[in-house]
């Protein structure tokens, strides 16, 4: 599957699988990709469904202004436009009836949060298969072959019971297992925007973004994802939806360089990053930053170590010599800590949250 961008291309990268590389020199701040989700599902539990955001575009709305689904009256939408779109896609008759049945499934309601979210994903995925088969084929083409933690064994009988003949014969245990693996490896969280009172940035919904999923991870990324879920209005004049991702370059890169995102906030410490990457994505990160931080003590933070190197970094001219380090490979410098500290001092905002 080709990336819909003239400045990017997908290549096989030794030791990393498929990845995205620059097909021409890229500039800091340049938008290199805009991607739309092929499916979305909320992060709320069945027993604790939130009424503070739209169940289609996930924009925050006043509860008094939301329009309810005419069938279940449980799921609500920010206006008649979102309701109409949802009834023909994300909240089809199948989804509406399925979620109502799952809401009364006592066995499922006893399960952990992750299991309930996996059930929501499977409903959305099978709805995609029935109503948007071309997008379902895109989903099947993404990385992830099978789930090996037993979730498919538990969830498949529950989900398959939601289908009437002949659809229930189309979806096997093997397919359910494969879908769960693809969700685990490819889903992105749509985040609450920061506010001055937030201590953490929480996830409002998960989505499958087919092109963004080609970006590999790096703990010192050269590109960053932006989402504007609470944009007003939710449907922009330029054709972008508020659930679209916009990928921008953090700094200049030359042609042929791999473009990477961080799969989670860049200020997470070494042990936390390694744990998440191994458990969620199945690999150990040996990037240059991890090689540096593996020698730190457990109580040292990214910000503390970056601050210690501040004086050394600031002797460089920010506009001239600093640009040389942006385009250097880590092996180009004898002091492996130096580009690491420079990245955080130049690109991380020092405001809380």
């Amino acid at each position: 599957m080709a990336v819909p961008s003239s400045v990017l291309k997908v290549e096989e990268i030794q030791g990393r699988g498929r990845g995205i590389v620059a097909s021409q020199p890229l500039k800091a701040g340049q938008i290199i990709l805009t991607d739309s989700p092929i499916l979305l599902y909320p992060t709320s539990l069945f027993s604790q469904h939130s009424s503070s955001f739209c169940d289609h575009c996930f924009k925050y709305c006043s509860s008094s202004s939301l329009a309810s689904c005419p069938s279940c009256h449980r799921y609500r939408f920010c206006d008649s436009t979102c309701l109409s779109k949802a009834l023909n896609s994300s909240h089809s008759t199948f989804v509406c009836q399925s979620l109502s049945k799952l809401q009364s499934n006592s066995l499922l309601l006893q399960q952990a949060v992750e299991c309930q979210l996996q059930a929501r994903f499977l409903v959305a995925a099978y709805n995609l298969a029935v109503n948007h088969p071309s997008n379902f084929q895109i989903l099947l083409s993404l990385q992830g072959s099978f789930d090996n933690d037993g979730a498919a064994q538990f969830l498949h009988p529950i989900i398959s019971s939601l289908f009437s003949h002949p659809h229930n014969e189309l979806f096997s245990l093997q397919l359910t297992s494969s879908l769960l693996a693809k969700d685990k490896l490819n889903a992105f969280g749509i985040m609450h925007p920061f506010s001055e009172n937030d201590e953490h940035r929480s996830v409002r919904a998960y989505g499958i973004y087919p092109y963004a999923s080609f970006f590999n991870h790096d703990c010192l990324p050269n590109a960053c994802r932006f989402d504007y879920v609470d944009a007003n209005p939710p449907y922009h004049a330029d054709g972008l939806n508020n659930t679209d991702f916009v990928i921008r370059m953090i700094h200049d890169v030359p042609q042929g360089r791999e473009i990477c995102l961080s799969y989670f906030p860049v200020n997470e410490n070494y042990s936390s990053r390694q744990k998440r990457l191994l458990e969620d994505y199945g690999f150990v990160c040996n990037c240059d930053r991890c090689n540096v931080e593996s020698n730190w003590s457990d109580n040292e933070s990214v910000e503390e170590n970056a601050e210690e190197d501040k004086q050394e970094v600031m002797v460089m001219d920010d506009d001239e010599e600093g640009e040389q380090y942006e385009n250097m490979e880590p092996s180009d410098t004898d002091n492996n800590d130096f580009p690491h500290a420079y990245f955080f001092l130049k690109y991380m905002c020092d405001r809380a949250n």
Side-chain angles (χ1 to χ4, degrees), residues 133-182:
S134 60
N135 281 344
F136 186 68
Q137 291 303 313
I138 293 175
L139 174 61
L140 293 180
S141 72
L142 299 179
Q143 184 181 7
S145 55
F146 65 94
D147 162 69
N148 59 5
D149 64 4
Q153 294 282 349
F154 173 78
L155 287 170
H156 180 71
I158 295 175
I159 301 301
S160 61
S161 69
L162 303 174
F163 291 92
S164 58
H165 184 79
H167 288 136
N168 60 347
E169 297 180 352
L170 300 178
F171 305 114
S172 64
L173 173 61
Q174 182 179 5
L175 179 57
T176 296
S177 179
S178 175
L179 288 171
L180 290 176
K182 296 178 189 303

Side-chain angles (χ1 to χ4, degrees), residues 1 10 14 74 83 97 148 166 195 239 243 349:
M1 184 168 63
V10 178
Q14 186 174 5
R74 176 174 173 81
L83 174 59
Q97 294 176 351
N148 59 5
S195 73
T243 53
C349 178

